[in-house]
Amino acid sequence: VDLANGSIIKDTELPAGVEGSLATDGTRLYFITTDGFLRAFNAADFRETWKTAVAPFSDSTPAVDGGVVYLADQKGMAMALDAGSGQPRWQTPLNDEFARCPVVTSNTVVFGCRGGTLTALNRQSGQVVWTKKAVTRFTYEPLPVGDQVLYVDKGIATLAALADGAE
């Protein structure tokens, strides 16, 4: 869409419906489709550059930072992929159904899951740093606040330390 006048610049038919929201690094757009793929499209011409299989109907949103795409699918598999090629860097099972968008910090990637677990993984290796049970189903994304992560449920805001999950 042309921001100056609202006219459509280009239409592209996608191979399947989009689940969750789109993420971008300014060069590519990343999103999950209903047929079970994370797809990367060139932002300039909207041509698909790569795709990789994830669980079908995963309604989460990927996060992109530092040339890496972070996501988890409907089956609770967290993963990091090279943003340019889609090649996997690591995969780690969360043992819970993921919800929403991961929180990427300088050292960790934090995943809030529908079963009420909050898990921080090492950003480089995917190894579990900590996991804690939370009183929420993570219908909203957690939010980084300094050296803590904030999550809210039923009017209660909780801050957990990024280092160890302590409240």
Side-chain angles (χ1 to χ4, degrees):
V1 174
D2 186 319
L3 295 178
N5 62 24
S7 65
I8 294 175
I9 298 170
K10 180 173 181 151
D11 276 339
T12 299
E13 187 170 335
L14 300 175
V18 175
E19 295 283 348
S21 298
L22 281 68
T24 186
D25 59 8
T27 302
R28 283 173 291 280
L29 303 169
Y30 307 92
F31 52 91
I32 297 172
T33 51
T34 55
D35 59 351
F37 289 97
L38 169 68
R39 296 175 185 271
F41 276 69
N42 183 302
D45 62 11
F46 214 66
R47 292 181 191 267
E48 187 172 73
T49 56
W50 58 260
K51 68 180 181 180
T52 192
V54 297
F57 301 103
S58 295
D59 61 354
S60 62
T61 299
V64 187
D65 189 62
V68 181
V69 181
Y70 301 95
L71 72 145
D73 65 19
Q74 204 74 355
K75 292 185 177 180
M77 181 60 70
M79 57 193 86
L81 306 167
D82 181 86
S85 67
Q87 292 300 307
R89 292 196 175 188
W90 52 257
Q91 290 188 349
T92 303
L94 296 172
N95 301 316
D96 195 352
E97 183 182 347
F98 179 65
R100 308 291 173 220
C101 183
V103 175
V104 180
T105 70
S106 58
N107 297 316
T108 60
V109 184
V110 181
F111 295 87
C113 296
R114 288 193 172 97
T117 57
L118 186 65
T119 301
L121 303 179
N122 178 288
R123 184 176 164 152
Q124 300 301 317
S125 67
Q127 291 182 334
V128 175
V129 176
W130 52 262
T131 298
K132 68 176 285 157
K133 191 69 176 161
V135 186
T136 183
R137 291 183 47 79
F138 291 100
T139 54
Y140 301 98
E141 288 89 0
L143 178 69
V145 179
D147 61 353
Q148 299 175 311
V149 62
L150 170 71
Y151 60 93
V152 179
D153 188 51
K154 299 179 184 152
I156 299 172
T158 303
L159 282 168
L162 284 170
D164 60 8
E167 294 180 4

